[in-house]
C-alpha cells in the first residue's frame, strides 16, 4: 500500500493536476490498482462509487496514453448515461488541471448518431467513455477504431456483466486486439464476473482495498416507524421539519417514484424524479437543477442513482428500505462526502425493524429512533419499566 502518488510512479504534471483538485493522497483502491495497471496487468477491482475507483483506472490510462498520436487508445464502458458523462467530465477536468493533452468523448445512446460520428472524426479522442450498445454500433460502423485500443475498462461490472447485458460487452472486447489490457471494477466480485474474466483476461489480478468497507462515521443513522400506508405523509412531515439543503429520496418502484414526486411537488417541495421512465432531457434537467441547488429534493431508484457523485447532499431518505443489505451502504454513502456530515433516515414499519437491526450488526453502526412531533424531528425515548 502506498501513501503518496509520488510512490506510484505517476508523472509530476498529473500529481500537480490532482493537487489542484484537492486530491493529495491515494485512496485504498488507488494505491493497490495503479502500479499493476501501469504494468498492463488485467485487473478485477472490488470498489464501489465513492472509493475513488474512477481515478484508480484513469490515472494509469493518463500515464500510458501517447498524446502525440491522434488515435483512440482506451474505452471505458459504464451502465448509465449520467455515469458516462461524469467519467468524461473527470477526464476533461484532469486534462485541464494537469496540462496533459488527453482528449475524451462521452458516447451515449438515444442521441443522433451522425452528430456523434462527425464529432468522433473531428476530435479523434484518446479515450472513449460510453454506454455499451452505442459503442458497439460505432465499432461496427468503423467509427471507433477497435484495433488501436490498448485498454478497456468495465466500470460498475456487477451491472454490465449481468447475464442480461454481458453479451454486448463481450462483443466489444472481442473486436479489440488480444494483447489489450482489461480492467473490471465491481462493487462485489460475483461468480459471473470471474467467469467472464477467465474467458477474456490473461491471469487477472483480483484487487480489493485493504480497509473493510465501513460506513463514513460522519453519517447519523435514523429510523422513524410508521405504517406502510402512512409512509408518504411521514416523509412529507420529516422534510418539512428538517428543511434539508439537498436530499435524495430512495424509492424502489418506478411508479412509486413518479407518484412520490407528484405528491411532494403538490406540497410545494420543489422536487424532481429520476427513473428509467423519464426522457434523457428530463433526467438532465433534474440532475442539473439538483446539482446547482435549484431543487432540493431528488427522488430516485438505486439504478438511476448508481455512480452519481453529487457533493453536498445533506439527507438521504429511504422511503422504501433497500432490497439488498449492501445497498444501504451505497445509499447512505451519498451523504457526508468528504468531511461534511449528513443524515440517513429510514422509514420502517414495525415488521421492518429487524432489517434496521441487521444494518446495525452488519455495518457496526447505531441507529437513533426519531418521530415528528409538533413539526420537529425528535428522538423517541423509551423508558424501561
Ligand atoms: P469515485 O469513487 O470514483 O466515484 O470517486 C468519488 C469522489 O472521490 C470523486 O469526487 C473524486 O473526485 C474523489 N476522489 C477520488 N480520489 C480521491 C483521493 N485520492 N482523495 C480525495 N478525493 C478523491
Amino acid at each position: 500500500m502506498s501513501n503518496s502518488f509520488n510512490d506510484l510512479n505517476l508523472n509530476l504534471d498529473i500529481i500537480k493536476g490532482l493537487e489542484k483538485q484537492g486530491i493529495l493522497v491515494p485512496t485504498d483502491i488507488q494505491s493497490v490498482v495503479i502500479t499493476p495497471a501501469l504494468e498492463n496487468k488485467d485487473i478485477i477491482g472490488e470498489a464501489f462509487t465513492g472509493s475513488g475507483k474512477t481515478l484508480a483506472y484513469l490515472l494509469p490510462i493518463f500515464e500510458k496514453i501517447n498524446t502525440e498520436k491522434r488515435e483512440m487508445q482506451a474505452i471505458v464502458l459504464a451502465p448509465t448515461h449520467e455515469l458516462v458523462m461524469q467519467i468524461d467530465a473527470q477526464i476533461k477536468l484532469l486534462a485541464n488541471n494537469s496540462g496533459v493533452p488527453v482528449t475524451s468523448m462521452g458516447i451515449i445512446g438515444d442521441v443522433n448518431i451522425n452528430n456523434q460520428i462527425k464529432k468522433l472524426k473531428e476530435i479523434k479522442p484518446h479515450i472513449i467513455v460510453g454506454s455499451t450498445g452505442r459503442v458497439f454500433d460505432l465499432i461496427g460502423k468503423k467509427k471507433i477504431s477497435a484495433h488501436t485500443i490498448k485498454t478497456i475498462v468495465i466500470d460498475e461490472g456487477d451491472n454490465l456483466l449481468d447475464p442480461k447485458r454481458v453479451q454486448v460487452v463481450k462483443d466489444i472486447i472481442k473486436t479489440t486486439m488480444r494483447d489489450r489490457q482489461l480492467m473490471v471494477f465491481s462493487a462485489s466480485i460475483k461468480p459471473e464476473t470471474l467467469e467472464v474474466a477467465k474467458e477474456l483476461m490473461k491471469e487477472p489480478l483480483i484487487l480489493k482495498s485493504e480497509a473493510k468497507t465501513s460506513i463514513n462515521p460522519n453519517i447519523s443513522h435514523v429510523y422513524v416507524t410508521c405504517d406502510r400506508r402512512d409512509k408518504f405523509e411521514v416523509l412529507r412531515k420529516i422534510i418539512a421539519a428538517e428543511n434539508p439543503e439537498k436530499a435524495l429520496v430512495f424509492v424502489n418502484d418506478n411508479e412509486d417514484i413518479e407518484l412520490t414526486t407528484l405528491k411532494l411537488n403538490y406540497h410545494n417541495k420543489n422536487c424532481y424524479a429520476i427513473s428509467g421512465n423519464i426522457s434523457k432531457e428530463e433526467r438532465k434537467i433534474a440532475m442539473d437543477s439538483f446539482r446547482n441547488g435549484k431543487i432540493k429534493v431528488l427522488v430516485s431508484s438505486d439504478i438511476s442513482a448508481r455512480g452519481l457523485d453529487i457533493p453536498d447532499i445533506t439527507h438521504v431518505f429511504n422511503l422504501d428500505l433497500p432490497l439488498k443489505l449492501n445497498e444501504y451502504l451505497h445509499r447512505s454513502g451519498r451523504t457526508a462526502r468528504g468531511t461534511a456530515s449528513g443524515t440517513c433516515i429510514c422509514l420502517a414499519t414495525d415488521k421492518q425493524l429487524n432489517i434496521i437491526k441487521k444494518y446495525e450488526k452488519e455495518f457496526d453502526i447505531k441507529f437513533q429512533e426519531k418521530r415528528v412531533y409538533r413539526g420537529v424531528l425528535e428522538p423517541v425515548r423509551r423508558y424501561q419499566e
Side-chain angles (χ1 to χ4, degrees):
M1 283 275 248
S2 174
N3 286 327
S4 99
F5 285 113
N6 285 305
D7 297 344
L8 295 171
N9 287 329
L10 293 171
N11 90 50
L12 214 56
D13 290 336
I14 295 180
I15 296 175
K16 285 202 174 125
L18 290 172
E19 271 170 22
K20 281 194 200 156
Q21 293 168 215
I23 294 179
L24 308 173
V25 180
T27 62
D28 284 340
I29 193 73
Q30 289 163 0
S31 63
V32 293
V33 163
I34 291 174
T35 307
L38 284 170
E39 291 165 359
N40 289 325
K41 296 268 184 348
D42 283 351
I43 288 171
I44 304 178
E46 191 173 79
F48 52 87
T49 301
S51 61
K53 69 171 156 119
T54 317
L55 286 176
Y57 62 74
L58 283 183
L59 295 176
I61 291 179
F62 256 71
E63 186 72 41
K64 287 191 290 183
I65 277 179
N66 181 347
T67 51
E68 282 172 8
K69 284 191 182 163
R70 277 189 71 213
E71 188 173 272
M72 298 173 195
Q73 297 173 44
I75 297 179
V76 179
L77 298 172
T80 63
H81 293 177
E82 279 88 9
L83 191 53
V84 165
M85 299 329 281
Q86 224 168 260
I87 297 165
D88 184 48
Q90 283 216 37
I91 298 171
K92 292 189 162 73
L93 182 71
L94 186 61
N96 211 4
N97 284 329
S98 64
V100 179
V102 166
T103 53
S104 69
M105 184 172 153
I107 299 278
I108 54 179
D110 293 352
V111 301
N112 186 307
I113 195 163
N114 293 323
N115 290 346
Q116 275 175 339
I117 292 174
K118 213 167 120 208
K119 217 171 142 195
L120 275 170
K121 221 170 165 180
E122 260 168 44
I123 311 180
K124 280 258 163 67
H126 297 123
I127 310 177
I128 302 283
V129 188
S131 41
T132 50
R134 184 54 65 89
V135 167
F136 188 56
D137 263 6
L138 287 163
I139 291 177
K141 292 186 188 324
K142 306 233 174 325
K143 303 300 171 191
I144 293 178
S145 54
H147 62 283
T148 57
I149 298 298
K150 310 260 180 321
T151 303
I152 301 185
V153 177
I154 299 170
D155 199 328
E156 306 263 334
D158 27 1
N159 188 317
L160 284 184
L161 300 180
D162 180 276
K164 276 187 244 131
R165 309 184 75 169
V166 69
Q167 193 52 48
V168 60
V169 177
K170 285 188 189 168
D171 290 343
I172 292 172
I173 294 171
K174 283 179 183 157
T175 61
T176 59
M177 305 296 265
R178 278 191 76 81
D179 62 350
R180 45 89 198 105
Q181 176 186 35
L182 181 59
M183 294 193 265
V184 176
F185 287 86
S186 190
S188 52
I189 300 171
K190 294 189 198 149
E192 49 265 39
T193 316
L194 287 175
E195 201 182 303
V196 176
K198 261 191 263 159
E199 250 179 76
L200 302 163
M201 290 177 155
K202 305 150 262 177
E203 298 169 25
L205 290 176
I206 299 181
L207 301 174
K208 306 176 184 190
S209 58
E210 300 246 302
K212 186 177 173 303
T213 45
S214 60
I215 289 194
N216 180 338
N218 296 331
I219 304 172
S220 329
H221 304 272
V222 171
Y223 71 88
V224 176
T225 50
C226 62
D227 284 344
R228 187 166 168 70
R229 63 172 182 277
D230 297 332
K231 275 194 173 182
F232 174 76
E233 195 47 27
V234 174
L235 172 72
R236 187 187 68 71
K237 284 184 182 162
I238 303 174
I239 291 180
E242 290 282 275
N243 192 18
E245 266 308 299
K246 223 175 239 190
L248 198 51
V249 177
F250 280 100
V251 176
N252 292 347
D253 188 271
N254 271 342
E255 271 170 33
D256 287 345
I257 291 176
E258 277 158 39
L259 202 62
T260 308
T261 312
L262 270 175
K263 286 202 229 163
L264 281 173
N265 277 333
Y266 176 76
H267 289 280
N268 271 334
K269 296 287 162 306
N270 214 345
C271 107
Y272 269 115
I274 50 166
S275 69
N277 287 352
I278 66 167
S279 72
K280 203 170 75 42
E281 288 75 26
E282 282 173 298
R283 266 166 93 104
K284 185 162 168 15
I285 294 172
M287 292 311 306
D288 289 349
S289 313
F290 190 56
R291 258 182 232 279
N292 67 27
K294 262 199 214 138
I295 57 161
K296 295 192 162 186
V297 182
L298 192 68
V299 185
S300 177
S301 65
D302 291 306
I303 308 241
S304 301
R306 237 166 209 282
L308 293 185
D309 179 31
I310 298 168
D312 321 321
I313 293 178
T314 53
H315 290 70
V316 169
F317 293 100
N318 290 312
L319 185 68
D320 295 317
L321 295 184
L323 298 175
K324 290 186 194 151
L325 201 62
N326 244 16
E327 208 68 55
Y328 183 77
L329 194 89
H330 296 276
R331 289 187 182 184
S332 60
R334 299 314 163 116
T335 182
R337 294 252 177 188
T339 53
S341 57
T343 309
C344 181
I345 302 180
C346 292
L347 283 87
T349 61
D350 283 336
K351 272 195 180 153
Q352 289 176 319
L353 293 182
N354 62 334
I355 304 178
I356 300 285
K357 290 231 158 60
K358 271 195 197 151
Y359 297 152
E360 290 193 320
K361 197 160 160 243
E362 179 77 15
F363 306 122
D364 194 18
I365 52 176
K366 209 78 221 117
F367 273 80
Q368 194 171 28
E369 185 182 1
K370 291 196 175 179
R371 62 171 183 174
V372 181
Y373 184 67
R374 293 186 175 160
V376 178
L377 186 66
E378 57 162 37
V380 173
R381 286 175 224 294
R382 299 209 180 273
Y383 297 101
Q384 284 184 336
E385 289 169 80

